Structures are given as C-alpha cells and as structure tokens.
Amino acid sequence: MTRMIKCIASLALVHGLVACSGPQAPKATATTFKWVSSPPLILPQPDPDQTIYAVKDPSIVYVNGKYHVFMTTAGSSGWGLAYTSFDKWSEASSAKIIPLDKSPMGPGYRAAPQVFYFAPRKAWYLIYQGADPLYSTSNDMSDPASWTAPKPLFPTLPDIIKRPQGNGWLDFWVICDDRKCYLFNTDDHGRLLRSETGIDRFPNGFHNTVAVLNEKTEDLFEASNTYRIANTQTYITLVEAMSPKGRYFRIWKSNGLDGNWEPFSSTPMNTFASSENVEQLWSDGISHGELIRTNADQTMTIDPCRPLEYLFQGNDPAVRVSEYIKLPYRLGVIAAKGENPVSALCR
C-alpha cells in the first residue's frame, strides 16, 4: 500500500497523465523499461525579434515547489538559451519563456544547457556549448538577468578532440562525487568522453580527457546525461542513439564515475526509452532530455523509490523540413510504468 501511495503521488506530478500499474513483478527480475508519454507541454512562443522554430535540449530542476527549465531555442536568428518556470505541468504551456541573451551571458551561439547548484561554492552553474564548453553562474537561477558572462571550462582544446584523433565535441554534462567533478560529452561519432578535475578546483582544472565508450556513430550519438542513484554505489549514463524508427536512449551503469560502463537493460541495444517502449508517444522518437532529479546539486541524484520522469524533446513525424534548425521540437515528459532496473535498487 505504501508503494502504491508513493506511485500515485509521484505520477500526479505529470499532470495526472498516467496511472500506476497493477501488481508489480519482483524487483530482482526487472530488466527493462516501460513508459507512457504526456502530450507536448512546452512549445515555442512568439518572439518579436525572430521566428522560433523549436524548443529543445531541456535541463530541469525542481526547487521549492517549482519546476525550473532551461532550454535551447532554435530560431531564424540562430541558436540561443532560454528559461521558464511553473508550479505544475498543467501550467507549463502558458508559462513565459524568457531568452537569456539580454543577461551578461549575451547573444551568440548557445545550446544544450545543464543547470545545477554547486553546493561547495553556493552558486548555480549553467553548463552549455558554444564552440567549446562554456559556463555561467548565478546566485538566483530564477532571475534570467543574473547569469554571468560565459567562461570556458578548458583553456586549450584536448588533443583527443582535435583531428585526426577526434571530430570535435558537444552536449556537455557535469557530475561530481565527493572528490572529483567529471565532464562527460559526446562527439557525434560514437564516443563518450570523460574529463576530470578536483571538486575543490571546479570549474577549473579539467584534464585527462579519455573515451569511456566507443561504438558506431549511430549507436552512440549525442546528448549524454549521467546520474547517481540515491543510497547506492551505482551510477547510470544515458546516451542518445539513432535507428530507422527514430532517436532513442540507451542506458549503462557503473559503480563509479571513473569506472567502466556496462549495459543496464536486457533489451536489444540496452534501450532506456524509444518509440517501441513508450505508450502514447506523439514524437518520432525520444531525443535530448534529462531525468527529473531528487535534488538540484552537483551529485545529479535520482531516487529509485520514485517512478522515473524524463523531460525530452520530440517532433511530429509527419513534418518534413529542409534545415535541421527548423525541426519543430517540443518538450514533453515520459513517466515510468511498473518496475525497471532503476526501481529495482529501491531499498
């Protein structure tokens, strides 16, 4: 009964769009994931300065009873970052989306944000991509004008990124344990890369950039996101892949951020979420997104005892456009149904 009450309470966050399933299989046998999708919840809004084609690449935290979402906007003037907030999902579509280019962050190419509170410095950090990984800070993330001018995370480009060893980098993700902070990123060519620095040196000192996963381009593409599972020694990482049936996410686990990664689902290609295991899906797949975390800090912790919720970007499979920037991405939420490899770790 207690577990059912928790399930109902958590899923109610997704605006009552899903219901708890019936009797659950034993946790030890949970080796796959199943989901149900909300409709699109965050959509492009009119902008007096340009045409906004899409909102995408969301990063989300839930703090003091409010959702805070940072995202990429794709428009006729290029790529930028924006912010919105709301109390509940039923308010998401009407919540104002505020561009961040009027802040000291300034205009220019900005994309793929990640937001978190860095507790050692008592400040909010926004990690994002320019040509290379950048960051801005704020003492009040709910104030769009408060973000500082961009600073680079690396003084020089690591050799593994340069040709002929590499093909660039994108979609940067920071997560820290008690000793170190790690930066993960993909390169659109089948590699998941990891850099590190001491937690006392962050955001400076990133070095030792190495490939921790290396597969075919289509099987390990972009948009990695990594989390700690609360009350365990387990970490998970998700990476977007491509298939003839659309974008989807694969999942791996490790016993440490500096450890080896192994598949964490028994399905082919260790699938986390795809068009084949998400009910009521309005999109041609599951693309760049983020789990809704237990807390907002640098540990990127999720609670295995609460049903997983994943904010993702999707687009209408019937829409065909000539330019990538015009793909009509919108943001929606998928919520886990029943047991899965993460919920099996609930103690």
Side-chain angles (χ1 to χ4, degrees):
M1 180 61 71
T2 299
R3 182 169 181 82
M4 182 60 71
I5 292 171
K6 287 183 179 179
C7 183
I8 293 171
S10 178
L11 292 175
L13 294 176
V14 193
H15 189 36
L17 294 168
V18 294
C20 298
S21 59
Q24 306 296 308
K27 293 179 181 180
T29 65
T31 61
T32 62
F33 294 85
K34 293 182 180 180
W35 308 86
V36 64
S37 178
S38 75
L41 298 174
I42 302 176
L43 296 79
Q45 295 178 355
D47 186 317
D49 299 322
Q50 62 172 323
T51 299
I52 301 296
Y53 306 121
V55 289
K56 53 182 302 188
D57 309 334
S59 184
I60 182 169
V61 290
Y62 186 73
V63 178
N64 297 327
K66 187 181 288 288
Y67 292 101
H68 301 264
V69 179
F70 293 80
M71 70 197 84
T72 304
T73 56
S76 54
S77 297
W79 308 91
L81 297 183
Y83 164 80
T84 191
S85 65
F86 44 88
D87 293 339
K88 51 189 177 181
W89 287 111
S90 59
E91 302 171 350
S93 62
S94 59
K96 184 176 177 55
I97 296 175
I98 304 171
L100 299 184
D101 59 356
K102 301 299 191 295
S103 74
M105 185 183 297
Y109 172 65
R110 313 273 189 263
Q114 180 207 12
V115 67
F116 60 90
Y117 183 72
F118 189 63
R121 297 189 188 278
K122 298 181 179 179
W124 290 94
Y125 276 71
L126 197 62
I127 310 297
Y128 51 98
Q129 66 186 53
D132 297 315
L134 303 172
Y135 75 92
S136 295
T137 64
S138 171
N139 291 322
D140 179 5
M141 76 160 162
S142 65
D143 178 2
S146 66
W147 292 99
T148 61
K151 292 184 179 180
L153 282 173
F154 287 75
T156 59
L157 200 66
D159 288 341
I160 194 172
I161 302 300
K162 304 174 186 176
R163 293 182 181 276
Q165 294 185 50
N167 294 280
W169 49 356
L170 77 165
D171 294 343
F172 305 101
W173 181 274
V174 169
I175 179 172
C176 308
D177 59 22
D178 292 339
R179 297 175 50 251
K180 293 183 178 181
C181 291
Y182 297 86
L183 178 84
F184 289 89
N185 68 272
T186 44
D187 67 357
D188 277 357
H189 286 81
R191 296 191 304 177
L192 178 67
L193 304 174
R194 184 191 67 214
S195 308
E196 64 183 74
T197 188
I199 195 168
D200 57 335
R201 297 192 65 192
F202 178 83
N204 301 307
F206 276 108
H207 67 290
N208 191 28
T209 304
V210 297
V212 294
L213 287 173
N214 198 334
E215 300 197 14
K216 295 178 181 178
T217 293
E218 63 270 24
D219 294 339
L220 199 152
F221 192 54
E222 60 188 26
S224 74
N225 41 126
T226 300
Y227 308 91
R228 181 178 74 89
I229 299 179
N231 303 314
T232 76
Q233 298 300 314
T234 300
Y235 291 84
I236 58 171
T237 198
L238 313 174
V239 186
E240 185 178 332
M242 298 184 291
S243 79
K245 296 182 179 180
R247 301 285 185 102
Y248 70 104
F249 273 93
R250 303 174 64 195
I251 182 168
W252 290 261
K253 69 173 181 176
S254 178
N255 60 6
L257 291 169
D258 59 352
N260 296 321
W261 297 94
E262 60 183 59
F264 198 32
S265 169
S266 66
T267 56
M269 301 303 292
N270 45 295
T271 298
F272 176 72
S274 74
S275 59
E276 296 185 331
N277 70 344
V278 179
E279 298 176 11
Q280 303 176 23
L281 184 62
W282 46 271
S283 169
D284 64 356
I286 304 293
S287 186
H288 197 131
E290 183 172 314
L291 282 168
I292 298 173
R293 294 175 257 140
T294 305
N295 56 25
D297 72 16
Q298 73 280 353
T299 62
M300 300 293 153
T301 301
I302 59 171
D303 184 353
C305 300
R306 296 181 59 186
L308 300 176
E309 298 168 336
Y310 194 80
L311 181 63
F312 74 102
Q313 69 177 33
N315 67 77
D316 186 341
V319 174
R320 295 290 181 266
V321 297
S322 58
E323 301 175 62
Y324 178 74
I325 197 171
K326 294 182 178 180
L327 283 172
Y329 280 113
R330 282 88 174 100
L331 306 181
V333 173
I334 56 173
K337 290 185 62 180
E339 300 295 340
N340 59 64
V342 172
S343 67
L345 296 178
C346 176
R347 298 290 183 264

